[in-house]
Amino acid sequence: MLKVKELTGGYAAEPVIHSLSFDVQKGELFGILGPNGSGKTTLLHMISGIMRSDTGSIYIKDLPIQNYSAKQLARTVAVLPQHSSQTFSYTVKETVSLGRYAHQSGWLNTWTQEDERIVQEVMEQTGVLAFQDKSMNELSGGEIQRVMLSQALAQQPEILLLDEPTNHLDLSYQKDLLDMMKKWSVEKGLTVISIFHDLNLAALYCDNLLLLEKGKIQIIDTPNNVLQQERIQHVYKTEIEKHPHPVLPKPQMFIVPDKQAGDDQEIKIDQQYITQAEEYISLHSPIPLRTMSSGVTGAGTGWYDTFVNRHVNHDYNCEDHLEEMKLFLQERGFDSAETVGMMTAVDLQYAVYQFYQERDFSIFIIVTAGVGNAVDASRASEHTEDSSPGTINTWIFINAKLAEEAFIHSIVTATEAKVKALMQLNVMDFITDSSATGTSTDSVLVAATQRGTLLQYGGTATPLGKLIGKGVYECTMKALQKNQYKREAE
Amino acid sequence: MPKRSIQTYLNKKLIYLLAVAFLTSSFLAGVSIGAVSVPIMDLLNILAKEILHLPIEQTNEMYTNIVMNIRLPRVILAGLVGASLAISGAAFQGLLRNPLADPYTLGVSSGASLGAVIVLFFSFSMPIIGSFTLPVFSVSFSFATIFAVLFFARKIDRSMKVESIILTGIIFSSFLGAFISLMIALTGNELRQIIGWLLGSVSMRGWSYITIILPFFFVGVLVLMLNAKELNALSFGEDRAQHLGVNVKRRKLTILTAGALLTGAAVAVSGTIGFVGLVVPHFIRQLCGPDHKHLLPLSLLSGGGFLIFADLVSRTIIAPTELPIGVITALIGAPVFAAILMKNRTGRRR
């Protein structure tokens, strides 16, 4: 559909873009990225016929762009401008009708039924039909953008060029516009070439991306290959973290703000931050901690500064325990959005916590353990109904900076140590009559300050793994013994 | 958000009807009223006899003389000048996306004046074109001025903001005005002619002036009318017009040429008359919206009517003394100019 060959050119003597070559296929949604001044707009101006190139050529449908007259080009290529100035207050319909200019012929430019039909159709599709008689300066920014899109579509183009189409638009308009573009590229074979400021939107919608750097092509490839962390950091000269989209297999880039004074000050999470109450034990960190956990609220990964382990009765049974837990937290002055909350039937006065110091990092472990509900994980299928509750909640606070994988290592190591403790104390699964590996409702939490030493791994071969293994084993043993002792006392 | 004064535009046919009625009544009033008033019935008879050559017997000799030799050429000239200035103002405004652009504010009128004054000062006439020397010079100078103004405005401010263009126009007006003053200072006996002409007037011009302006008028109006759609596209910006399929370079040149043609010719026959090109399109736009397909012809009709009316006022208000017609148009035009400017500024602040 579009072929660009060795394109060089710019405003004055100094070319803005240097020998760009690329192809765009019919029906493709093609994104152009690049920092300010990298030549994105210049390139788009050349493709839209506003600017001439110094050397090189642009082929549209296999014909050089110079062979097109202004009208011919407008019948093939339409542009959605970034801003549109409204000096005079044309009505919406008058504005959209101008899109038919290139299709009208003769000195009098007669308005045909065909013109009218198409104008009605595109106004319908872009949702501006309802206010077609309104004046343009009565519209909001999003509405104006839709009218301009409608005008561009009235040209019945095969290629649609967009210059930062989502600029000045609300989130929902951004999504609507790009969803519409995607739909048309798929259903009608419309080729869409768009400049994007927002790398994440480009990643979500584009089939291919062209990354410009100082007027040259850095890379043309699929979003996942273009949006590599190192590449984007290099081209945009800024701190960026790449992360997958939570629900789609698309990459997303996150800006990392510069550290402020005090941001790097090390913080040691230890027992001074613990509050022990009748019905809960909580830890309130002075800074949010990077957390991976299987609690009730704040489960999964996130950043939290408050951690609550709540005591519930043996017969606690609530249909919506998440809502109930949120209510519980709110009533006690915790912000449920900032809090990881867990539950246990274990008496909280038997909680065990211990601080462990290594050479350049430290960990703080809190365990509450009951085994009334002990299960052999390998034979859990033989358990048919809930038996008496009893839970081992393991919290590990790490005063260091952890890589993503170190969180997972830590959870694995903590689990292994817990199992060892259960074995050591000969805890049995009474249903299967075999050694138990835990209870059916165990939870684990790993939270790191993300300050200080970087710990890449947390397996048992590493200092972190060793410390977690030892600590969790010891604390679980102690907690179980305390609980055992209590029961015997009863 | 500025509320439009008339929310739904008036019916187009009605506006055309009103414009034609305005022009006709101005015309009849203009021919009829004066130091010697010609009764309407006599006037109609004279027009029917002299122009349509109907067999009407009794017409008053004196009335016929006044109408045919003094009033009619004067009123027609005023109509043509007003129409030229209004339609070229509308076109300049659309092209430059600037409701304040008109031949006067852009300095085009001054350019045309300078061209005319040079011809008057050296009192020469070019071979072949003869009596058309003055309008040809006016047109050429107005053409050169508009390009110089746009060139410098672009140098000052690439985005060509409204204020930048107007400011450049004013600078050019003053600069060109200095040359005119210089020539007036150096003139001895021809002084009165130049001054009287500079103030703008359509009196005592006779039919010969109408034959001078008419060819320019027809060509200019025809060209502008054929570019109504392009003007609509251009009023969304040059890049946008290009995207819509308008050959911007060619159309822009065509429209500027036609505008300069109309302005130059109007100035050549009547001197500098300000604000007509500003006030008339502005009012029409308020009534029927900015679509040039209607804006141009309606500005044409109303511009003609407006200047005939202004001329009538200028020669009757403190009769027997005649005011220069430019005084009347400026008295009406300047406040409107200020009003548009203020509306523009508040509009942008929202």
Coordinates of all heavy atoms in Angstrom, one line a residue, chain B residues 214-285:
Chain B
L214 N -15.4 48.0 -14.3 CA -16.2 46.9 -14.6 C -15.5 45.6 -15.0 O -15.8 44.5 -14.5 CB -17.3 47.3 -15.7 CG -18.6 46.7 -15.6 CD1 -19.2 46.8 -14.1 CD2 -19.6 47.3 -16.6
P215 N -14.5 45.7 -16.0 CA -13.8 44.4 -16.3 C -13.1 43.8 -15.1 O -13.2 42.5 -15.0 CB -12.8 44.9 -17.4 CG -12.9 46.3 -17.5 CD -14.0 46.8 -16.7
F216 N -12.5 44.5 -14.3 CA -11.8 44.0 -13.1 C -12.8 43.3 -12.2 O -12.6 42.3 -11.6 CB -11.0 45.1 -12.4 CG -9.9 45.7 -13.1 CD1 -10.1 46.9 -13.8 CD2 -8.7 45.0 -13.2 CE1 -9.0 47.4 -14.5 CE2 -7.6 45.6 -13.9 CZ -7.8 46.8 -14.6
F217 N -13.9 44.0 -12.1 CA -15.0 43.6 -11.2 C -15.5 42.2 -11.7 O -15.6 41.3 -10.9 CB -16.2 44.6 -11.2 CG -17.3 44.2 -10.4 CD1 -17.3 44.3 -9.0 CD2 -18.5 43.7 -11.0 CE1 -18.4 43.9 -8.2 CE2 -19.6 43.3 -10.2 CZ -19.6 43.4 -8.9
F218 N -15.8 42.1 -12.9 CA -16.4 40.8 -13.4 C -15.4 39.7 -13.2 O -15.7 38.6 -12.7 CB -16.8 40.9 -14.9 CG -18.2 41.5 -15.0 CD1 -18.4 42.6 -15.8 CD2 -19.3 41.0 -14.3 CE1 -19.7 43.2 -15.9 CE2 -20.5 41.5 -14.4 CZ -20.8 42.6 -15.2
V219 N -14.2 39.9 -13.7 CA -13.2 38.8 -13.6 C -12.9 38.4 -12.1 O -13.0 37.3 -11.7 CB -11.8 39.3 -14.2 CG1 -10.7 38.2 -14.0 CG2 -12.0 39.5 -15.7
G220 N -12.7 39.5 -11.3 CA -12.5 39.2 -9.8 C -13.6 38.4 -9.2 O -13.4 37.4 -8.5
V221 N -14.8 38.9 -9.4 CA -16.0 38.2 -8.8 C -16.1 36.8 -9.3 O -16.3 35.9 -8.5 CB -17.3 39.0 -9.0 CG1 -18.5 38.2 -8.7 CG2 -17.2 40.3 -8.2
L222 N -16.0 36.6 -10.6 CA -16.2 35.3 -11.1 C -15.1 34.3 -10.5 O -15.5 33.2 -10.1 CB -16.0 35.3 -12.7 CG -16.3 34.0 -13.4 CD1 -17.7 33.7 -13.3 CD2 -15.8 34.1 -14.8
V223 N -13.9 34.8 -10.5 CA -12.8 33.9 -10.0 C -13.1 33.5 -8.5 O -13.0 32.4 -8.1 CB -11.4 34.6 -10.1 CG1 -10.4 33.8 -9.3 CG2 -11.1 34.7 -11.6
L224 N -13.5 34.5 -7.7 CA -13.7 34.3 -6.3 C -14.9 33.3 -6.1 O -14.8 32.3 -5.3 CB -14.0 35.5 -5.5 CG -12.8 36.4 -5.3 CD1 -13.1 37.6 -4.4 CD2 -11.6 35.6 -4.7
M225 N -16.0 33.5 -6.9 CA -17.1 32.6 -6.8 C -16.8 31.2 -7.1 O -17.2 30.2 -6.5 CB -18.2 33.1 -7.7 CG -18.8 34.4 -7.4 SD -19.9 34.3 -6.0 CE -21.0 35.7 -6.4
L226 N -15.9 31.0 -8.1 CA -15.5 29.7 -8.5 C -14.6 29.0 -7.4 O -14.3 27.8 -7.5 CB -14.8 29.7 -9.8 CG -15.7 30.0 -11.0 CD1 -14.9 30.1 -12.3 CD2 -16.7 28.8 -11.2
N227 N -14.1 29.8 -6.5 CA -13.2 29.3 -5.5 C -13.9 29.2 -4.1 O -13.2 29.1 -3.1 CB -11.9 30.1 -5.4 CG -11.0 29.7 -6.5 OD1 -10.4 28.6 -6.5 ND2 -10.9 30.6 -7.5
A228 N -15.2 29.3 -4.1 CA -15.9 29.3 -2.8 C -15.6 28.0 -2.0 O -15.3 28.1 -0.8 CB -17.4 29.4 -3.1
K229 N -15.7 26.8 -2.6 CA -15.4 25.6 -1.9 C -14.0 25.6 -1.4 O -13.7 25.1 -0.3 CB -15.5 24.4 -2.9 CG -17.0 24.0 -3.1 CD -17.1 22.6 -2.6 CE -18.6 22.4 -2.3 NZ -18.9 21.2 -1.6
E230 N -13.1 26.0 -2.2 CA -11.7 26.1 -1.8 C -11.5 27.0 -0.6 O -10.7 26.7 0.3 CB -10.8 26.5 -3.0 CG -10.6 25.4 -4.1 CD -11.8 25.2 -5.0 OE1 -12.8 26.0 -4.9 OE2 -11.8 24.2 -5.7
L231 N -12.2 28.1 -0.6 CA -12.1 29.0 0.5 C -12.6 28.4 1.8 O -12.0 28.6 2.8 CB -12.9 30.3 0.2 CG -12.1 31.4 -0.6 CD1 -13.1 32.4 -1.1 CD2 -11.0 31.9 0.3
N232 N -13.7 27.6 1.6 CA -14.1 26.8 2.8 C -13.0 25.9 3.3 O -12.8 25.9 4.5 CB -15.3 26.0 2.4 CG -16.6 26.8 2.4 OD1 -16.7 27.9 2.9 ND2 -17.6 26.3 1.7
A233 N -12.4 25.2 2.4 CA -11.3 24.3 2.9 C -10.2 25.1 3.4 O -9.6 24.7 4.5 CB -10.9 23.4 1.7
L234 N -9.8 26.2 2.8 CA -8.7 27.0 3.2 C -8.9 27.6 4.6 O -8.0 27.9 5.3 CB -8.3 28.0 2.2 CG -7.5 27.5 1.0 CD1 -7.6 28.5 -0.2 CD2 -6.1 27.3 1.4
S235 N -10.2 27.8 4.9 CA -10.4 28.5 6.2 C -10.2 27.5 7.4 O -10.3 27.8 8.5 CB -11.8 29.1 6.3 OG -12.8 28.2 6.0
F236 N -9.9 26.2 7.0 CA -9.5 25.3 8.1 C -7.9 25.2 8.1 O -7.4 24.3 8.8 CB -10.0 23.9 7.8 CG -11.5 23.7 8.2 CD1 -12.5 24.1 7.4 CD2 -11.8 23.2 9.5 CE1 -13.8 24.0 7.8 CE2 -13.1 23.1 9.9 CZ -14.1 23.5 9.0
G237 N -7.3 26.0 7.4 CA -5.8 26.0 7.4 C -5.3 25.4 6.1 O -5.9 24.6 5.4
E238 N -4.1 25.9 5.7 CA -3.5 25.5 4.4 C -3.2 24.0 4.4 O -3.5 23.4 3.4 CB -2.3 26.3 4.1 CG -2.6 27.8 3.8 CD -1.4 28.6 3.4 OE1 -0.4 28.0 3.0 OE2 -1.5 29.8 3.5
D239 N -2.6 23.5 5.4 CA -2.3 22.1 5.4 C -3.6 21.2 5.3 O -3.6 20.3 4.6 CB -1.6 21.7 6.7 CG -0.1 22.1 6.7 OD1 0.3 22.7 5.7 OD2 0.6 21.9 7.7
R240 N -4.6 21.6 6.1 CA -5.8 20.9 6.1 C -6.4 20.9 4.7 O -6.9 19.9 4.2 CB -6.8 21.5 7.1 CG -8.0 20.7 7.4 CD -7.7 19.4 8.1 NE -8.7 18.4 7.9 CZ -8.4 17.1 7.8 NH1 -7.2 16.7 7.8 NH2 -9.4 16.3 7.6
A241 N -6.4 22.1 4.0 CA -7.0 22.2 2.7 C -6.2 21.3 1.7 O -6.8 20.6 0.9 CB -6.9 23.7 2.2
Q242 N -4.9 21.3 1.9 CA -4.1 20.3 1.0 C -4.5 18.9 1.3 O -4.7 18.1 0.3 CB -2.6 20.5 1.4 CG -1.7 19.7 0.5 CD -1.3 20.4 -0.8 OE1 -1.1 21.6 -0.8 NE2 -1.4 19.6 -1.9
H243 N -4.7 18.5 2.5 CA -5.2 17.2 2.9 C -6.5 16.9 2.2 O -6.8 15.7 1.9 CB -5.3 17.0 4.4 CG -4.0 17.0 5.1 ND1 -3.8 17.4 6.4 CD2 -2.8 16.6 4.7 CE1 -2.6 17.3 6.7 NE2 -1.9 16.8 5.7
L244 N -7.3 17.9 2.1 CA -8.7 17.6 1.6 C -8.7 17.6 0.0 O -9.7 17.3 -0.6 CB -9.6 18.7 2.0 CG -10.0 18.7 3.5 CD1 -10.7 20.0 3.9 CD2 -10.9 17.5 3.8
G245 N -7.5 17.9 -0.5 CA -7.4 17.8 -2.0 C -7.3 19.1 -2.7 O -7.4 19.1 -3.9
V246 N -7.2 20.2 -2.0 CA -7.1 21.5 -2.6 C -5.6 21.7 -3.1 O -4.7 21.5 -2.3 CB -7.5 22.6 -1.7 CG1 -7.3 24.0 -2.3 CG2 -8.9 22.4 -1.2
N247 N -5.5 22.2 -4.3 CA -4.1 22.6 -4.7 C -3.8 24.0 -4.2 O -4.1 25.0 -4.8 CB -4.1 22.6 -6.3 CG -2.7 22.8 -6.8 OD1 -1.9 23.4 -6.1 ND2 -2.5 22.4 -8.0
V248 N -3.3 23.9 -3.0 CA -3.2 25.2 -2.1 C -2.4 26.3 -2.8 O -2.9 27.4 -2.9 CB -2.7 24.9 -0.7 CG1 -2.4 26.1 0.0 CG2 -3.6 24.0 0.1
K249 N -1.3 25.9 -3.3 CA -0.4 27.0 -3.9 C -1.2 27.7 -5.0 O -1.2 28.9 -5.0 CB 0.8 26.3 -4.5 CG 2.1 26.5 -3.6 CD 3.3 26.1 -4.4 CE 4.5 25.9 -3.5 NZ 5.4 24.9 -3.9
R250 N -1.8 26.9 -5.9 CA -2.4 27.6 -7.1 C -3.6 28.3 -6.6 O -3.9 29.5 -7.0 CB -2.8 26.5 -8.1 CG -2.9 27.1 -9.5 CD -3.1 26.0 -10.5 NE -4.4 25.4 -10.4 CZ -4.7 24.1 -10.8 NH1 -3.7 23.4 -11.4 NH2 -5.9 23.6 -10.7
R251 N -4.4 27.7 -5.8 CA -5.7 28.4 -5.4 C -5.4 29.6 -4.6 O -6.1 30.6 -4.7 CB -6.5 27.4 -4.5 CG -7.0 26.2 -5.3 CD -8.0 26.6 -6.4 NE -8.5 25.4 -7.0 CZ -9.6 25.4 -7.8 NH1 -10.1 26.5 -8.1 NH2 -10.0 24.3 -8.3
K252 N -4.4 29.6 -3.7 CA -4.1 30.7 -2.9 C -3.7 31.9 -3.8 O -4.2 33.0 -3.6 CB -2.9 30.4 -2.0 CG -2.8 31.2 -0.7 CD -1.9 30.7 0.3 CE -0.5 31.1 0.1 NZ 0.4 30.7 1.1
L253 N -2.8 31.6 -4.8 CA -2.4 32.6 -5.7 C -3.6 33.2 -6.4 O -3.7 34.4 -6.6 CB -1.4 32.1 -6.7 CG -0.6 33.1 -7.5 CD1 0.3 33.9 -6.6 CD2 0.2 32.4 -8.5
T254 N -4.5 32.3 -6.9 CA -5.7 32.7 -7.7 C -6.5 33.7 -6.8 O -6.9 34.7 -7.3 CB -6.5 31.5 -8.0 OG1 -5.7 30.5 -8.6 CG2 -7.6 31.9 -9.0
I255 N -6.8 33.3 -5.6 CA -7.7 34.0 -4.7 C -7.0 35.4 -4.4 O -7.7 36.4 -4.4 CB -8.0 33.2 -3.4 CG1 -8.9 32.0 -3.8 CG2 -8.7 34.1 -2.4 CD1 -9.0 31.0 -2.8
L256 N -5.7 35.4 -4.1 CA -5.1 36.6 -3.7 C -5.1 37.6 -4.9 O -5.3 38.8 -4.8 CB -3.6 36.4 -3.3 CG -3.4 35.8 -1.9 CD1 -2.0 35.5 -1.6 CD2 -4.0 36.8 -0.8
T257 N -4.9 37.0 -6.1 CA -4.9 37.8 -7.3 C -6.2 38.4 -7.6 O -6.3 39.6 -7.8 CB -4.5 37.0 -8.6 OG1 -3.3 36.2 -8.3 CG2 -4.3 37.8 -9.8
A258 N -7.3 37.6 -7.4 CA -8.6 38.1 -7.6 C -8.9 39.2 -6.6 O -9.5 40.3 -6.9 CB -9.6 37.0 -7.5
G259 N -8.5 39.0 -5.3 CA -8.8 40.0 -4.3 C -8.0 41.3 -4.6 O -8.6 42.4 -4.4
A260 N -6.8 41.2 -5.0 CA -6.0 42.3 -5.3 C -6.6 43.1 -6.5 O -6.6 44.3 -6.6 CB -4.6 42.0 -5.6
L261 N -7.1 42.3 -7.5 CA -7.7 42.9 -8.7 C -8.9 43.7 -8.3 O -9.0 44.9 -8.7 CB -8.2 41.7 -9.5 CG -8.2 41.8 -11.1 CD1 -6.8 42.1 -11.5 CD2 -8.8 40.5 -11.7
L262 N -9.8 43.2 -7.4 CA -11.0 43.9 -7.0 C -10.6 45.1 -6.2 O -11.1 46.2 -6.4 CB -11.9 42.9 -6.2 CG -12.6 41.9 -7.0 CD1 -13.1 40.8 -6.1 CD2 -13.7 42.5 -7.8
T263 N -9.7 44.9 -5.2 CA -9.3 46.0 -4.4 C -8.6 47.1 -5.2 O -9.0 48.3 -5.0 CB -8.3 45.6 -3.3 OG1 -8.8 44.4 -2.7 CG2 -8.1 46.6 -2.2
G264 N -7.7 46.7 -6.0 CA -6.9 47.7 -6.8 C -7.9 48.5 -7.7 O -7.8 49.8 -7.7
A265 N -8.8 47.9 -8.3 CA -9.7 48.6 -9.2 C -10.6 49.5 -8.4 O -10.9 50.6 -8.8 CB -10.5 47.6 -10.0
A266 N -11.1 49.0 -7.3 CA -12.0 49.8 -6.4 C -11.2 51.1 -6.0 O -11.8 52.2 -6.0 CB -12.5 49.0 -5.2
V267 N -10.0 50.9 -5.5 CA -9.2 52.1 -5.0 C -9.0 53.0 -6.2 O -9.0 54.2 -6.0 CB -7.9 51.6 -4.4 CG1 -7.0 52.8 -4.1 CG2 -8.2 50.9 -3.1
A268 N -8.7 52.5 -7.3 CA -8.4 53.3 -8.5 C -9.5 54.2 -8.8 O -9.3 55.4 -9.2 CB -8.0 52.4 -9.7
V269 N -10.7 53.8 -8.7 CA -11.9 54.7 -9.1 C -12.4 55.5 -7.9 O -13.1 56.5 -8.1 CB -13.0 53.9 -9.7 CG1 -12.6 53.2 -11.0 CG2 -13.6 52.8 -8.7
S270 N -12.1 55.1 -6.7 CA -12.8 55.8 -5.6 C -11.9 56.2 -4.4 O -12.3 56.8 -3.5 CB -13.9 54.9 -5.0 OG -13.3 53.8 -4.4
G271 N -10.6 55.9 -4.5 CA -9.7 56.2 -3.4 C -9.9 55.1 -2.3 O -10.5 54.1 -2.5
T272 N -9.3 55.4 -1.1 CA -9.3 54.4 -0.1 C -10.6 54.6 0.8 O -10.8 55.6 1.4 CB -8.1 54.5 0.8 OG1 -7.9 55.9 1.1 CG2 -6.9 54.0 0.2
I273 N -11.4 53.5 0.7 CA -12.6 53.5 1.6 C -12.5 52.3 2.5 O -12.4 51.2 2.0 CB -13.9 53.4 0.7 CG1 -14.0 54.6 -0.2 CG2 -15.1 53.3 1.6 CD1 -15.1 54.5 -1.2
G274 N -12.3 52.6 3.8 CA -12.0 51.5 4.7 C -13.2 50.8 5.2 O -14.4 51.3 5.1
F275 N -13.0 49.7 5.8 CA -13.9 48.9 6.6 C -15.1 48.2 6.0 O -15.8 47.5 6.6 CB -14.4 49.8 7.8 CG -13.3 50.2 8.7 CD1 -12.9 51.5 8.7 CD2 -12.7 49.3 9.6 CE1 -11.8 51.9 9.6 CE2 -11.7 49.7 10.4 CZ -11.3 51.0 10.4
V276 N -15.3 48.6 4.7 CA -16.5 47.9 4.0 C -16.2 46.4 4.0 O -17.1 45.6 4.3 CB -16.6 48.4 2.6 CG1 -17.8 47.8 1.9 CG2 -16.8 49.9 2.6
G277 N -15.0 46.0 3.6 CA -14.6 44.6 3.5 C -14.6 43.9 4.8 O -14.5 42.7 4.9
L278 N -14.7 44.7 5.9 CA -14.6 44.1 7.2 C -16.0 43.9 7.8 O -16.4 42.8 8.3 CB -13.8 45.0 8.1 CG -13.5 44.5 9.5 CD1 -12.3 43.6 9.5 CD2 -13.3 45.6 10.5
V279 N -16.8 45.0 7.7 CA -18.1 45.0 8.3 C -19.1 44.1 7.6 O -19.8 43.3 8.2 CB -18.6 46.5 8.4 CG1 -20.0 46.5 8.9 CG2 -17.7 47.3 9.2
V280 N -19.1 44.2 6.3 CA -20.2 43.5 5.6 C -20.1 42.0 5.7 O -21.0 41.3 6.1 CB -20.2 44.0 4.1 CG1 -21.2 43.1 3.3 CG2 -20.6 45.4 4.0
P281 N -18.9 41.4 5.4 CA -18.8 39.9 5.6 C -19.1 39.5 7.0 O -19.6 38.4 7.2 CB -17.4 39.6 5.2 CG -16.9 40.7 4.4 CD -17.6 41.9 4.9
H282 N -18.7 40.3 8.0 CA -18.9 40.0 9.4 C -20.4 39.8 9.6 O -20.8 38.8 10.2 CB -18.3 41.0 10.3 CG -18.5 40.8 11.7 ND1 -17.9 39.8 12.4 CD2 -19.3 41.4 12.6 CE1 -18.3 39.8 13.6 NE2 -19.2 40.7 13.8
F283 N -21.2 40.8 9.2 CA -22.6 40.7 9.4 C -23.2 39.5 8.7 O -24.1 38.8 9.2 CB -23.3 42.0 9.0 CG -23.3 43.0 10.2 CD1 -22.6 44.2 10.1 CD2 -24.0 42.7 11.3 CE1 -22.5 45.1 11.2 CE2 -24.0 43.6 12.4 CZ -23.2 44.8 12.3
I284 N -22.8 39.3 7.4 CA -23.4 38.2 6.7 C -23.1 36.9 7.4 O -23.9 36.0 7.5 CB -22.8 38.2 5.2 CG1 -23.1 39.5 4.5 CG2 -23.3 37.0 4.5 CD1 -24.6 39.7 4.3
R285 N -21.8 36.8 7.9 CA -21.4 35.5 8.6 C -22.3 35.3 9.8 O -22.7 34.2 10.1 CB -20.0 35.6 9.0 CG -19.2 34.3 8.7 CD -17.8 34.4 9.1 NE -17.0 34.8 8.0 CZ -16.2 35.9 7.9 NH1 -16.2 36.7 8.9 NH2 -15.5 36.2 6.9

